[in-house]
């Protein structure tokens, strides 16, 4: 005990705090429960203080609510875990012995304590990152990596002319697309309280030492912690799609409505300042997207009713926001015509408002804006079928004419803006009207673009049903690809529709057509921006794309053209290439597709733009990390060449998940590592699962993430072509590496008959379904085959047992196969890491995964949960050997003994979390064994759910 006290004293940034709290046993215990999580050094002193404060408050609440015995149990487990980690003892065995006699009720208290501590530590870290960023800006330390300033610095250093940069900014568009993939384990209620904690920590850090307000904030923080302790971590029921829609849309009010226009304004300002150009229109530089309510691939709960609800909710939120803005401006702009002379256009706008109040007779801006609010409220009522009630304060008279579109409101804003600038109120125009105009242009009436997505196999069945019922083709599914294309092209050229009212269609056909009907209604009512894309999962052929065009024609979203009218389409049709084989054929498929005249005409109707999506998750699950990364890179390069030869613009849509095993990793580095020409001022990226909260739950986080995307897309647009000789050699090396990596991964995961049993035994994937984290089923079918399992639970399960196989397996064998015993080849790999952005990003991301792997914890899962000894020893032995090989080669290639030597922030965060994760893993293994042995007591099931939740929290990117 005394040795532990001395060790803690040397690590704490505030010795006085240590001595004062150590004076009492309670104070000491509360301190040691949290101090290991703190950083060291001046830069992290504030973070250390915040985590100590939150840990102390949590300790107080645990003692008060659960009693001294529970508190001492939590502390003893924590102390044992910390000591084992520090002294390199066998922490798993030590903790297993300590917990062996602990009742299930007490285990639940321990799990909840460590879970809440992890969530509070995450919050403190997020606040600290923003604090450090503000400190560096205030200190004049220069632009940080990933910022707009750093991007302009880089482009200027590369000799890019200012006018070229300004032109790129004008065309710049990044589109983060929020999806509902089920890896967000935190309830919205909990995120709300944690957001309050973050705001209070920010406020507290701004106070001077000794400020009396500090005590008040601490009291509020204690109430927040008490609220959390008495709040259930788990949902009572499974999320519905409607819940997911509402959950995602709340980020607009909390962060995006303020952050997106402000960042667009900053991009405009920096562009003018650094290039000397006229201010570019940046209102579409950030174009938010969503899949929630439109993604039907494998989710039977996304119906026409759900799609209708999603679009209407988006429109409701957008228009309410714009209405609130106009109302606020009508209160703020009290400028009097007795003191200034507004323009005639502004006076006309005021006179036409119908506002004849004598109290505002000399306040034309107020009258104009009240009239604008009334017309906008009337438009809301029209768009939402009268559901939007017009407030009395918005009504100038009962016969107010609604705006016909948002463009008319933008035009009225322009009148207000121009008038203010004529009488010395340009500052008011810049500070009040410009943000409102920018927000209106950005979010429109649609809020964000809602994509449709469905699997190509479903489209094939629906088209076959339509053709058969129309007696146009009774055996479509048995036709060759060439015959299918011929049939589909004929249908696209024909003005007739396949659907007729007397036909009896398959229920799946009726459901798909109902969704498309609803999509067409939404586009007609709310405009094209409401549903801008149709994504085709598992696209492999030209017919997969043409089938969607035929279905869209059935509802009027594709028009075949006639006479001098060319064919046109109202949304982008986006093939998604996912598996390794599909990626290898993607360029040929796109070339064949663009060679179909009717389809090429549809592309031209979209300003010559063809979007293609590439899938990180399924390609990784199919072929392993290294092969997937190379296939994605090579595919992009070949798609760029196909588009160039065809004379169309290409936009790539990256289906990246939260973890490295699903394409995650630092976004700035990832975008800059794409092939030259693949980011032409435009990029779309999915934001999935827990990463949505991690990136958008706080304004500072949202700004940092969006600014990183903008900066990277701008820089990547100017990356010069690689040297052909060098890049050719690089490509040959990657082909050499990809082959054995692919073979090694496939031989373990897809070709070993014992592997499926091993996976379902060692991971809690089967039990994850109890967690109620999303509406989508974990598997595409009822099969337990790995091929049928979705990529998200695949990665999630490996994360829980700390083996993270999808993020590294096969790489070590590939490096060994290429360079074992050959120093020249090993040095070539090190040179590749130094000289090639792509390879450096691949290896660095793999290093982050390797740093999170814990073989000893994984061994515990295998020994307790995998019953067949032969299966356990064979497969775990292969994983352990491959891990050791991969670690050795990572060090040889990078020169880093610790994979996180060059990432001290992440290294500190992970190092300090591990002692709190170890007991959770031990308890999870015990609970899983009990449950699988037949103990299905409610508390056992709850304990499993809580450990899944807590481990995901500690690792931070779960799936």
């Amino acid at each position: 005990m005394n040795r532990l006290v001395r060790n803690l004293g040397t690590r704490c940034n505030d010795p006085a705090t240590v001595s004062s709290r150590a004076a009492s046993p309670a104070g000491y215990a509360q301190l040691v429960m949290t101090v290991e999580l703190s950083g060291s050094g001046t830069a992290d002193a504030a973070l250390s203080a915040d985590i100590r404060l939150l840990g102390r408050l949590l300790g107080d609440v645990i003692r008060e609510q659960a009693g001294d015995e529970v508190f001492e149990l939590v502390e003893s487990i924590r102390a044992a875990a910390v000591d084992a980690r520090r002294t390199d003892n066998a922490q798993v065995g030590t903790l297993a012995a300590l917990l062996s006699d602990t009742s299930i009720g007490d285990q639940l208290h321990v799990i909840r304590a460590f879970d809440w501590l992890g969530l509070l530590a995450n919050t403190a870290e997020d606040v600290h990152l923003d604090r450090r960023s503000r400190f560096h800006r205030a200190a004049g330390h220069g632009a940080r990596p990933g910022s707009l300033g750093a991007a302009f610095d880089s482009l200027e250093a590369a000799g890019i002319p200012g006018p070229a940069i300004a032109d790129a900014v004008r065309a710049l568009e990044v589109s983060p697309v929020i999806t509902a993939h089920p890896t967000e384990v935190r309830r919205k209620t909990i995120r709300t309280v944690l957001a309050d904690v973050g705001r209070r920590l920010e406020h507290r850090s701004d106070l001077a030492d000794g400020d009396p307000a500090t005590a008040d904030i601490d009291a509020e923080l204690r109430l927040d912690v008490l609220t959390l302790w008495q709040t259930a971590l788990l949902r009572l029921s499974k999320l519905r799609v409607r819940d997911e829609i509402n959950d995602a849309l709340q980020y607009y009010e909390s962060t995006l409505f303020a952050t997106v226009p402000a960042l667009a304004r900053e991009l405009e300002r920096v562009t003018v300042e650094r290039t000397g150009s006229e201010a570019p229109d940046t209102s579409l530089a950030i174009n938010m997207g969503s899949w929630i309510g439109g993604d039907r691939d494998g989710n039977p709960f996304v119906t026409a009713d759900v799609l209708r609800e999603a679009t209407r909710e988006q429109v409701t939120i957008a228009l309410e926001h714009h209405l609130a803005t106009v109302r606020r401006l009508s209160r703020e702009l009290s400028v009097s015509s007795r003191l200034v002379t507004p323009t005639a256009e502004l006076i006309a706008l005021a006179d036409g408002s119908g506002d004849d109040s004598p109290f505002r007779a000399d306040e034309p801006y107020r009258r104009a804006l009240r009239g604008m609010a009334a017309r906008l409220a009337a438009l809301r009522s029209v768009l939402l079928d009268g559901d939007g009630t017009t407030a009395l304060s918005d009504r100038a008279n009962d016969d107010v004419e609604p705006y016909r579109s948002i463009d008319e409101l933008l035009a009225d804003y322009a009148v207000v803006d121009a008038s203010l600038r004529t009488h010395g109120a340009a500052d008011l125009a810049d500070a009040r009207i410009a943000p409102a105009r920018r927000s209106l242009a950005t979010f429109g009436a649609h809020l964000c673009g809602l994509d449709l997505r469905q699997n190509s196999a479903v489209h094939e069945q629906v088209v076959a049903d339509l053709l058969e019922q129309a007696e146009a083709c009774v055996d479509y599914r048995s036709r060759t690809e060439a015959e299918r294309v011929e049939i589909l092209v004929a249908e696209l050229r024909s003005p007739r529709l396949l659907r007729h009212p007397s036909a009896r269609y398959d229920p799946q056909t009726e459901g798909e057509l109902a969704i498309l009907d609803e999509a067409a209604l939404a586009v007609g009512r709310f405009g094209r921006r409401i549903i801008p894309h149709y994504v085709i999962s598992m696209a492999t052929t030209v017919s997969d794309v043409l089938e969607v065009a035929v279905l869209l024609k059935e509802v009027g979203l594709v028009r075949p053209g006639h006479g001098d009218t060319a064919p046109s389409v109202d949304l982008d049709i986006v093939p998604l290439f996912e598996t390794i084989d599909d990626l290898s054929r993607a360029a040929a498929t796109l070339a064949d597709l663009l060679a179909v005249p009717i389809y090429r005409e549809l592309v031209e109707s979209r300003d010559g733009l063809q979007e293609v999506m590439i899938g990180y998750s399924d390609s990784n699950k199919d072929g392993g990390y290294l092969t997937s990364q190379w296939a994605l890179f090579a595919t992009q390069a070949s798609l760029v060449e196909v588009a160039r030869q065809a004379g169309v613009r290409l936009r790539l849509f990256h289906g990246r998940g939260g973890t490295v095993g699903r394409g995650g990793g630092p976004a700035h580095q990832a975008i800059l590592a794409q092939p030259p020409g693949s980011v032409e001022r435009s990029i779309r990226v999915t934001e999935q699962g827990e990463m949505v909260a991690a990136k958008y739950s706080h304004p500072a986080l949202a700004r940092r993430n969006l600014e990183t995307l903008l900066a990277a897309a701008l820089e990547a647009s100017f990356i010069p072509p690689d040297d052909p000789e060098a890049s050719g050699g690089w490509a040959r090396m990657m082909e050499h590496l990809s082959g054995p990596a692919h073979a090694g991964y496939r031989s373990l995961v897809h070709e070993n008959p014992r592997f499926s049993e091993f996976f379902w035994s060692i991971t809690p994937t089967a039990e994850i379904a109890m967690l109620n984290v999303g509406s989508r089923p974990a598997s595409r079918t009822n099969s337990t085959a790995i091929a049928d399992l979705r990529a998200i639970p695949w990665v999630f399960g490996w994360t829980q047992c700390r083996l993270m196989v999808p993020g590294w397996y096969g790489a070590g064998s590939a490096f060994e196969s290429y360079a074992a015993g050959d120093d020249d080849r090993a040095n070539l790999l090190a040179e590749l890491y130094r000289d090639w952005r792509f390879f450096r990003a691949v290896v660095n991301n793999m290093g982050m995964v390797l740093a999170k792997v814990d073989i000893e914890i994984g061994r515990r899962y295998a020994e307790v949960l995998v019953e067949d000894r032969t299966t356990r020893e064979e497969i775990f032995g292969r994983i352990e050997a491959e891990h050791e090989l991969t670690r050795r080669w990572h060090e040889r290639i990078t020169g880093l003994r610790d994979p996180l030597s060059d990432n001290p922030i992440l290294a500190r965060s992970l190092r300090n979390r591990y002692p709190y994760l170890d007991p959770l893993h031990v308890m999870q293994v015990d609970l899983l064994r009990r449950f699988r042995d037949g103990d299905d007591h409610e508390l056992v099931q709850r304990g499993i759910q809580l450990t899944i939740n807590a481990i995901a929290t500690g690792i931070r990117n779960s799936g």
Side-chain angles (χ1 to χ4, degrees):
M1 179 71 75
N2 291 334
R3 176 173 57 82
L4 185 57
V5 172
R6 288 196 298 272
N7 289 342
L8 288 170
T10 61
R11 294 187 64 196
C12 184
N13 289 313
D14 185 0
T17 303
V18 173
S19 60
S20 65
R21 290 181 186 160
S24 68
Y28 158 73
Q30 291 157 358
L31 171 64
V32 298
M33 182 176 174
T34 60
V35 72
E36 289 83 8
L37 280 173
S38 63
S40 60
T42 304
D44 294 326
L47 173 60
S48 301
D50 284 347
I51 296 180
R52 286 198 302 272
L53 170 65
L54 294 175
R56 176 174 60 80
L57 294 174
L58 178 60
D60 290 344
V61 168
I62 292 173
R63 185 187 292 278
E64 172 191 294
Q65 298 291 312
D68 289 344
E69 290 186 8
V70 168
F71 178 85
E72 295 301 332
L73 173 64
V74 171
E75 170 55 20
S76 64
I77 294 171
R78 181 218 55 78
V82 170
D83 188 61
R85 279 280 173 175
R86 284 184 182 159
T87 57
D88 293 325
N89 290 336
Q91 74 270 16
V92 175
T94 301
L95 292 171
L98 183 62
L99 288 162
S100 60
D101 295 327
T102 305
S103 69
I104 182 64
D106 285 345
Q107 282 193 32
L108 293 182
H109 283 308
V110 174
I111 295 167
R112 293 180 69 238
F114 287 160
D115 198 351
W116 287 125
L117 185 59
L119 284 167
L120 291 168
N122 289 351
T123 303
E125 286 187 350
D126 292 340
V127 170
H128 185 63
L129 286 174
D130 181 52
R131 180 191 295 133
R132 295 299 301 167
S133 179
R134 287 186 284 117
F135 168 77
H136 287 302
R137 288 198 303 270
H141 289 170
R144 61 179 178 81
S147 67
L148 290 174
F152 277 84
D153 287 344
S154 176
L155 295 177
E156 290 172 1
I160 308 298
I165 298 175
D167 287 343
V169 170
R170 290 186 181 91
L172 191 64
E173 180 179 351
V174 300
S175 182
V177 181
I178 296 175
T179 77
H181 291 325
T183 53
E184 172 53 79
V185 292
R186 279 180 285 173
R187 296 172 56 200
K188 178 181 175 181
T189 298
I190 292 170
R191 294 202 305 271
T192 300
V193 179
L194 290 173
D196 291 338
V197 170
R199 283 189 289 270
R200 298 193 213 287
L201 290 177
E202 288 176 351
H203 185 194
R204 193 178 190 275
S205 68
D206 291 335
L207 299 177
D209 291 342
D211 192 316
T214 301
D216 295 334
I217 294 175
D218 290 354
E220 290 298 321
L221 284 169
R222 182 191 173 281
L223 293 177
D224 290 334
V225 173
L226 176 60
T227 300
L228 291 172
W229 183 255
Q230 295 193 351
T231 297
L233 280 155
L234 305 174
R235 300 180 178 94
L236 282 174
S237 59
K238 194 171 184 65
L239 279 177
R240 302 167 300 174
V241 182
R242 290 174 172 84
D243 301 317
E244 294 171 337
I245 292 169
N246 294 330
D247 200 28
L249 294 183
Q250 59 95 18
Y251 290 106
Y252 286 86
E253 285 292 350
S254 63
T255 62
L256 294 173
F257 276 141
T259 302
V260 172
L263 191 52
R265 170 68 184 100
E266 178 67 8
L267 176 61
E268 176 187 309
R269 184 194 65 77
V270 174
T271 303
V272 172
E273 180 182 288
R274 302 291 286 268
T275 69
S277 68
E278 293 184 358
D281 180 4
T282 59
S283 58
L284 296 181
I286 302 170
N287 187 14
M288 299 300 298
S290 174
W291 275 11
I292 309 175
D295 179 11
R296 294 110 66 208
D297 182 18
N299 193 339
F301 306 111
V302 177
T303 63
D305 288 343
V306 168
L307 178 63
R308 182 186 310 115
E309 182 171 340
T311 55
R312 290 173 66 84
E313 189 64 23
Q314 288 179 200
V315 172
T316 299
I317 290 174
L319 294 183
E320 287 293 343
H321 172 71
H322 299 321
L323 259 175
T325 300
V326 181
R327 292 169 183 161
R328 174 176 53 78
L329 291 172
S330 73
R331 296 190 297 271
E332 292 176 347
L333 290 182
S334 55
V335 178
S336 173
S337 57
R338 289 180 290 167
L339 303 175
V340 301
T341 304
T343 63
E345 291 80 6
L346 189 282
I347 295 299
L349 190 60
D351 290 345
S353 69
D355 182 2
D356 57 1
S357 169
F359 302 106
R360 290 184 290 274
D362 67 330
E363 296 173 339
Y365 289 98
R366 276 185 164 170
R367 290 192 290 126
L369 287 159
R370 287 173 66 83
M372 291 161 61
R375 294 191 66 189
L376 179 58
L379 172 63
R380 176 188 61 182
S381 185
V382 168
L383 291 179
L384 299 174
D385 293 328
D387 289 352
T389 57
T390 304
L392 290 175
S393 59
D394 291 327
R395 291 181 182 163
N397 56 61
D398 294 333
D399 299 319
V400 64
E401 179 185 358
Y403 284 118
R404 287 173 295 180
S405 70
I406 289 297
D407 289 340
E408 290 189 343
L409 176 56
L410 279 170
D412 283 351
Y413 265 135
V415 170
V416 176
D417 184 282
S419 181
L420 286 170
R421 297 180 189 280
T422 64
H423 52 72
D427 289 346
L428 279 176
D430 289 338
R432 300 285 188 267
I433 304 302
R437 294 176 67 185
R438 189 174 289 109
S439 182
L440 186 63
T442 298
F443 298 109
H446 69 294
L447 188 69
C448 60
L450 178 62
D451 292 356
L452 301 179
R453 184 171 81 130
Q454 183 54 285
N455 195 288
S456 61
V458 175
H459 301 141
E460 177 186 313
Q461 294 171 5
V462 172
V463 167
D465 195 10
L466 285 171
L467 288 169
E468 182 175 357
Q469 295 299 323
E471 299 183 353
C473 177
V474 296
D475 57 350
Y476 174 78
R477 298 184 68 187
S478 66
R479 297 298 185 97
T480 66
E481 172 65 10
E483 291 171 335
R484 289 187 182 193
V485 170
E486 183 179 356
I487 293 168
L488 296 169
V489 167
E491 291 303 325
L492 288 172
R493 290 291 186 194
S494 172
R496 74 180 177 95
L497 299 179
L498 293 170
R499 187 166 38 164
H500 57 95
S502 62
R504 297 174 65 88
Y505 295 112
D506 182 87
Q508 179 176 255
T509 300
E510 292 180 345
E512 289 297 308
L513 292 175
I515 287 173
L516 293 175
D517 283 333
E518 189 59 45
L521 288 172
V523 171
R525 174 168 291 181
F526 306 130
R528 290 186 177 185
R529 293 178 72 186
I530 190 73
I531 299 180
H533 309 92
Y534 195 118
V535 179
I536 307 166
S537 298
M538 294 296 173
T540 61
T541 63
V542 171
S543 63
D544 288 338
V545 180
L546 297 183
E547 285 165 358
V548 170
V550 168
L551 293 176
L552 293 176
K553 173 175 169 279
E554 288 296 307
V555 298
L557 293 175
V558 164
R559 289 165 293 280
H562 55 85
D564 295 333
T565 303
S568 62
V569 57
D570 286 335
L571 66 167
D572 294 325
I573 302 176
V574 184
L576 165 53
F577 300 104
E578 300 175 81
T579 68
I580 300 298
D581 286 344
D582 293 345
L583 287 167
S584 69
R585 296 193 299 266
T589 301
L590 180 62
D592 292 343
L593 181 62
L594 294 175
V596 177
I598 181 68
Y599 184 78
R600 179 58 183 268
E601 292 175 84
L602 294 178
V603 172
E604 292 302 325
S605 76
R606 301 292 293 174
D607 296 324
L609 175 68
Q610 173 64 56
E611 182 170 304
V612 174
M613 185 174 183
I614 51 176
Y616 289 70
S617 298
D618 280 291
S619 63
N620 196 316
K621 177 171 164 286
D622 179 41
Y625 175 67
L626 197 64
T627 299
S628 168
Q629 292 296 303
W630 173 238
L632 290 161
F633 183 92
T635 297
Q636 290 179 72
S638 60
L639 289 171
V640 168
E641 181 59 22
V642 167
R644 186 190 65 79
Q645 292 182 5
V648 302
R649 294 187 299 122
L650 176 70
R651 178 169 60 205
L652 288 168
F653 184 9
H654 299 261
R656 290 161 51 90
T659 63
V660 170
R662 293 181 48 238
H668 185 261
Q669 184 185 50
I671 293 173
L672 292 180
Q674 303 309 310
S678 63
V679 182
E680 285 291 344
R681 306 174 175 89
S682 179
I683 189 170
R684 293 194 348 127
V685 182
T686 53
E687 302 282 30
Q688 302 183 11
E690 77 286 350
M691 298 312 296
V692 178
K695 292 180 177 180
Y696 298 106
S697 60
H698 186 280
L701 296 175
R703 178 177 176 109
R704 183 184 305 114
N705 177 59
L706 294 173
E707 184 175 7
T708 295
L709 292 177
L710 283 174
L714 182 59
E715 287 185 72
S717 297
F718 290 97
I719 292 177
D722 291 323
D723 176 71
E725 183 175 349
S727 61
W730 296 343
R732 286 189 292 274
M733 287 181 67
M734 285 304 304
E735 290 293 343
H736 280 300
L737 295 170
S738 179
H742 186 242
Y745 175 85
R746 295 283 304 183
S747 70
L748 175 76
V749 173
H750 295 286
E751 297 166 7
N752 190 320
R754 300 177 186 272
F755 184 80
S756 179
E757 176 191 351
F758 178 86
F759 170 77
W760 288 101
S761 297
I762 197 173
T763 71
T765 304
E767 289 79 10
I768 287 172
M770 300 187 300
L771 197 55
N772 296 323
V773 294
S775 65
R776 187 187 306 269
S779 291
R780 291 183 169 91
T781 69
N782 292 325
S783 165
T784 59
I786 300 301
D788 293 328
L789 184 67
R790 287 192 170 276
I792 296 163
W794 163 252
V795 175
F796 198 116
W798 285 117
T799 302
Q800 290 287 310
C801 66
R802 292 289 290 284
L803 292 176
M804 282 87 167
V805 164
W808 57 270
Y809 193 90
S813 293
F815 298 139
E816 182 78 5
S817 172
Y818 179 75
D822 189 330
D823 288 343
D824 289 338
R825 283 196 165 191
N827 290 335
L828 282 175
L829 290 173
E831 291 177 13
L832 201 66
Y833 176 78
R834 182 191 65 213
D835 297 336
W836 194 12
R837 283 191 180 99
F838 162 73
F839 191 68
R840 187 162 59 251
V842 168
V843 174
N844 285 346
N845 284 342
M846 186 177 70
M848 288 192 296
V849 180
L850 291 172
K852 295 181 179 182
V853 172
D854 192 307
I855 289 294
E856 291 308 309
I857 287 175
R859 190 189 314 280
R860 176 73 179 180
Y861 279 79
E863 289 176 347
V864 176
L865 299 177
V866 182
E867 295 181 349
D868 184 80
R869 180 176 179 178
T870 302
T871 298
R872 178 175 66 245
E873 291 181 351
E874 177 200 345
I875 296 180
F876 187 81
R878 290 182 62 179
I879 291 172
E880 183 177 18
E882 182 70 12
H883 176 260
E884 175 60 28
L885 189 62
T886 307
R887 282 293 299 257
R888 286 206 313 268
W889 274 106
H890 184 274
E891 180 179 350
R892 176 67 179 84
I893 292 168
T894 65
L896 302 174
R897 184 171 180 80
D898 183 339
L900 294 180
S901 296
D902 60 344
N903 192 342
I905 294 176
L906 180 58
R908 178 207 66 211
S909 178
L910 293 177
R911 182 177 62 250
N912 292 326
R913 289 169 192 276
Y914 288 161
Y916 302 92
L917 287 170
D918 292 345
L920 294 169
H921 287 294
V922 170
M923 287 184 283
Q924 183 179 85
V925 170
D926 175 63
L927 291 165
L928 286 170
R929 181 71 277 154
R930 291 173 62 173
F931 180 69
R932 293 174 185 180
D933 285 344
D935 185 354
D936 59 354
H937 192 280
E938 177 189 355
L939 293 182
V940 173
Q941 295 187 51
R942 189 186 309 168
I944 293 172
Q945 293 174 299
L946 286 169
T947 58
I948 292 171
N949 187 87
I951 291 168
T953 296
I955 299 296
R956 291 214 79 172
N957 52 350
S958 51

